Amino acid sequence: MSNLKFNKSHEWVKVEGDCAVIGISDYAQGELGDIVFVELPEVGVKISEGSSFGTVESTKAASEIFAPLSGEVIQANNDLVNNPQWVNEDPQGKGWMIKIKVENSKEMDNFMDEVAYKEFVDKESQ
Amino acid sequence: MIALKTTPLNLRHTQAGARLVDFFGWRLPLEYESGLKEAKELRCSCGLSDVSHMGEIKIKGKGTFEFLQKLVSNDLRLIRKGQLQYNLFLNQDGGIKDDLMVYNLGEEYLCVVNASNIDNVYAWLKEFKNDEIEIINESQSTSLLALQGPKSYLVMESILGKKLDDFKYMHFIQENVELKPALISRSGYTGEDGFEIYIESKDACFFWDLIMNKGADYGLKLCGLAARDILRIEAGYPLYGHEIDETTNPIEASLGWAVKLNKDFIGKEEIVKAKKNGVEKKRIGFLMQEKGLPRKDYDIYAEVGKTPPSKVSGGSLRPVDKTPPSKVSGGSIPVDKTPPSKVSGGSILVDKKIGRVTSGTYSPNLNEFIGMGYVSIDFSKPDTPIKVKIRDKFYQAKVVNFPFVEAKK
């Protein structure tokens, strides 16, 4: 089992010390379909929990990505700009999006582990 | 809620793992695995699609030729029995009621119309008919399969057990396969060589399985609507409801080649006028110069020279927007805080809205973002720089000739 945590809007978070890596879940990429465009914030930008920090576009539609946590962006996966298909191929690995310095780790209290998230997705897709 | 119609092949699609989508009241496969992959693979080998939602309307009876010749924009005298022709139904104002294929069956004609327009066209045809003309909507009892791609002829040769060297594009044959009738035309909507196969709905699964079976040796892939949309955009083909509708005329739509003025037809007067006076807008293709996906109804802008006013205020010609957070990838932010970008010859260059996007996609065969749209005629020449406004930012693009991807016919 991975050490990723998930929220209800299908983002995942991986905590590394006082930082967190953020991406979208395998379920989310599957729902979006072929991803052809990714737009991410620049390093230094402050993002706040629940607000949009970027855009992914699949052939079907454009979707905003919502910040699961508040904090300052310290790294962005700019390789995705030229390789947006990585979000489809490896959403929880090569398809990571940003790394932030976590402001308030309490925001993670309601996150689900992988098992709980899978149950949540199964229920939602019924 | 209205129940969605399904084609006879619905079970085949779900078994193949298709993601289904509502398309004008039909439940159809959007993609099986990946529309991008399907569109790419079709251009390398071949692909099979269920397009049974299309409408088939047969016209027969005494005077069928004269009746139809009066309603379509193209000249039916140019197709003999066994040939098909791209055509348009126009309204009195010269607007496009539908685009269609007309098959010359000899005594009868078959009109293949868009799924979204079946009822509309059927009612419209009936308005003009006399008692001797019979108009039959065969859409329910007819299924349509599209076998497309450079290797599709090998699959078809294998099915029919004969060489097809004499089977020319825009021609059709009528064959029985194991006593099941099929009308097969060498035609399609992908820009590649290919076949469109009209069969009785009760035989749809038989033909589907046969094609899948014979196609396995040639790398045949299933292609959903997503792949078909990519392929037709790459080929520069218009889609009803996107590039063409009752408010666009064929001259604007760059479909003047499908209008013949040496005959009479409904809507002709307006087309003659449009040709004489010129049109204000034109359908164009454009290639994005920055990464950005153009979608239907996005606005198209261009930089135009303007004599500087005493003071730039309000920026009426520039969209005013809140400054979005800066982003890594392309696109420039059209806000008035940015200084008037360029000054040339005493006039300021300002962004002016010149049109709108009608279709756009990422092209997996070109690895570029491409689109179609209407722009005012002054900006319709190839290589003209334009900008597409995507989520409050401008992305550079340029006008290009059709097709985006060269057909291999």
Side-chain angles (χ1 to χ4, degrees):
Chain A
M1 202 180 93
S2 70
N3 54 350
L4 304 184
K5 302 261 189 209
F6 298 83
N7 70 358
K8 287 183 177 175
S9 56
H10 308 288
E11 282 88 27
W12 58 260
V13 164
K14 187 168 144 197
V15 177
E16 292 177 350
D18 58 353
C19 297
V21 183
I22 293 168
I24 66 167
S25 74
D26 188 46
Y27 172 79
Q29 71 76 22
E31 287 296 295
L32 291 170
D34 290 324
I35 290 165
V36 294
F37 178 87
V38 176
E39 189 172 56
L40 299 172
E42 277 175 11
V43 168
V45 169
K46 295 232 173 169
I47 62 173
S48 56
E49 190 252 323
S51 66
S52 161
F53 73 80
T55 309
V56 283
E57 287 207 53
S58 71
T59 47
K60 285 190 291 179
S63 312
E64 287 178 300
I65 328 163
F66 296 100
L69 295 170
S70 307
E72 186 183 324
V73 177
I74 54 170
Q75 223 180 323
N77 186 3
N78 293 330
D79 289 343
L80 292 184
V81 172
N82 290 318
N83 301 283
Q85 74 280 8
W86 287 359
V87 180
N88 290 122
E89 291 164 8
D90 190 11
Q92 285 154 217
K94 266 199 312 188
W96 70 276
M97 290 177 173
I98 52 168
K99 190 171 182 177
I100 63 163
K101 184 133 197 250
V102 179
E103 238 167 49
N104 179 4
S105 59
K106 280 203 170 60
E107 288 172 348
M108 274 183 278
D109 284 354
N110 291 325
F111 286 7
M112 296 166 269
D113 65 15
E114 198 158 4
V115 175
Y117 176 67
K118 195 177 175 303
E119 273 172 27
F120 169 74
V121 163
D122 287 346
K123 235 181 252 170
E124 196 172 67
S125 53
Q126 262 166 25
Chain B
M1 196 185 126
I2 303 158
L4 292 177
K5 286 177 275 187
T6 57
T7 79
L9 296 160
N10 193 50
L11 189 61
R12 294 286 186 282
H13 302 321
T14 51
Q15 280 169 345
R19 186 199 297 262
L20 298 166
V21 69
D22 173 11
F23 185 79
F24 293 109
W26 288 85
R27 199 151 174 76
L28 292 168
L30 177 69
E31 55 193 1
Y32 293 88
E33 188 201 343
S34 151
L36 291 180
K37 279 190 195 139
E38 290 159 25
K40 204 169 173 174
E41 283 164 350
L42 186 140
R43 288 205 195 280
C44 296
S45 55
C46 49
L48 176 64
S49 306
D50 174 14
V51 283
S52 299
H53 57 295
M54 297 293 287
E56 292 83 14
I57 297 175
K58 198 171 272 177
I59 301 170
K60 57 180 172 185
K62 191 162 169 269
T64 292
F65 171 85
E66 291 76 14
F67 169 75
L68 199 54
Q69 176 80 328
K70 186 83 200 293
L71 295 178
V72 294
S73 65
N74 211 334
D75 190 350
L76 294 178
R77 287 172 297 193
L78 299 173
I79 52 165
R80 293 162 195 267
K81 184 182 176 187
Q83 288 181 280
L84 58 145
Q85 185 184 56
Y86 180 74
N87 246 308
L88 303 167
F89 286 137
L90 303 181
N91 61 27
Q92 297 287 358
D93 302 326
I96 301 171
K97 278 196 89 69
D98 201 7
D99 67 335
L100 68 153
M101 283 291 179
V102 176
Y103 288 70
N104 182 345
L105 303 168
E107 302 292 299
E108 307 168 358
Y109 283 85
L110 174 69
C111 297
V112 181
V113 305
N114 285 293
S116 53
N117 283 334
I118 298 173
D119 295 342
N120 188 8
V121 166
Y122 182 67
W124 186 70
L125 289 171
K126 285 206 145 183
E127 264 179 52
F128 294 95
K129 84 175 201 76
N130 60 41
D131 290 345
E132 290 179 309
I133 301 283
E134 213 183 324
I135 296 164
I136 311 154
N137 182 358
E138 298 184 340
S139 306
Q140 275 296 332
S141 55
T142 307
S143 286
L144 175 54
L145 309 181
L147 170 62
Q148 299 278 298
K151 289 187 180 166
S152 57
Y153 80 98
L154 294 168
V155 182
M156 190 52 79
E157 284 185 345
S158 168
I159 289 166
L160 298 177
K162 61 180 180 187
K163 286 273 167 201
L164 297 175
D165 298 341
D166 297 332
F167 191 178
K168 293 199 186 70
Y169 204 72
M170 295 303 268
H171 283 64
F172 67 90
I173 54 173
Q174 287 174 288
E175 297 269 336
N176 285 313
V177 181
E178 292 185 28
L179 300 175
K180 295 173 176 67
L183 186 156
I184 303 164
S185 60
R186 198 158 198 168
S187 56
Y189 194 45
T190 61
E192 294 292 334
D193 186 17
F195 302 87
E196 292 177 295
I197 304 151
Y198 299 84
I199 50 187
E200 291 179 18
S201 290
K202 64 179 170 56
D203 299 330
C205 287
F206 165 80
F207 280 99
W208 184 265
D209 295 343
L210 179 67
I211 296 167
M212 288 293 285
N213 189 12
K214 299 283 187 191
D217 293 344
Y218 304 100
L220 180 74
K221 292 281 173 359
L222 294 180
C223 289
L225 291 179
R228 282 181 63 83
D229 195 48
I230 292 167
L231 290 160
R232 70 96 191 164
I233 296 172
E234 287 180 340
Y237 294 158
L239 173 63
Y240 201 85
H242 285 248
E243 283 70 36
I244 49 178
D245 59 30
E246 296 232 22
T247 70
T248 52
N249 78 46
I251 310 304
E252 296 167 339
S254 304
L255 296 173
W257 60 273
V259 178
K260 301 294 184 325
L261 296 177
N262 58 351
K263 52 163 265 192
D264 269 333
F265 58 94
I266 291 172
K268 181 179 174 181
E269 298 73 26
E270 291 304 315
I271 305 302
V272 171
K273 257 191 243 167
K275 277 204 155 174
K276 192 172 153 233
N277 303 335
V279 288
E280 286 175 5
K281 59 177 182 177
K282 191 101 186 158
R283 177 170 70 101
I284 54 140
F286 59 87
L287 185 66
M288 298 302 296
Q289 304 293 295
E290 294 178 273
K291 282 183 202 302
L293 179 49
R295 293 186 191 273
K296 187 177 190 311
D297 295 332
Y298 285 180
D299 288 328
I300 300 175
Y301 285 76
E303 281 182 353
V304 294
K306 194 179 174 244
T307 320
S310 49
K311 187 174 182 327
V312 182
S313 71
S316 60
L317 289 169
R318 283 161 175 272
V320 184
D321 288 298
K322 62 182 188 326
T323 314
S326 55
K327 299 280 168 82
V328 176
S329 55
S332 59
I333 303 163
V335 286
D336 285 321
K337 278 175 212 153
T338 52
S341 43
K342 282 145 248 170
V343 178
S344 74
S347 76
I348 306 168
L349 291 174
V350 291
D351 294 317
K352 184 186 169 195
K353 191 176 149 188
I354 56 155
R356 69 181 171 91
V357 176
T358 50
S359 292
T361 190
Y362 176 75
S363 161
N365 291 296
L366 294 174
N367 296 317
E368 302 271 10
F369 291 95
I370 58 174
M372 284 191 240
Y374 281 89
V375 294
S376 74
I377 194 85
D378 303 338
F379 297 91
S380 62
K381 285 205 179 63
D383 294 326
T384 304
I386 58 172
K387 300 173 182 188
V388 180
K389 191 181 173 198
I390 305 174
R391 289 186 297 277
D392 302 335
K393 286 204 278 178
F394 282 153
Y395 290 74
Q396 304 286 339
K398 73 168 181 188
V399 178
V400 295
N401 279 321
F402 295 125
F404 293 99
V405 177
E406 204 62 53
K408 297 193 192 90
K409 280 192 278 287

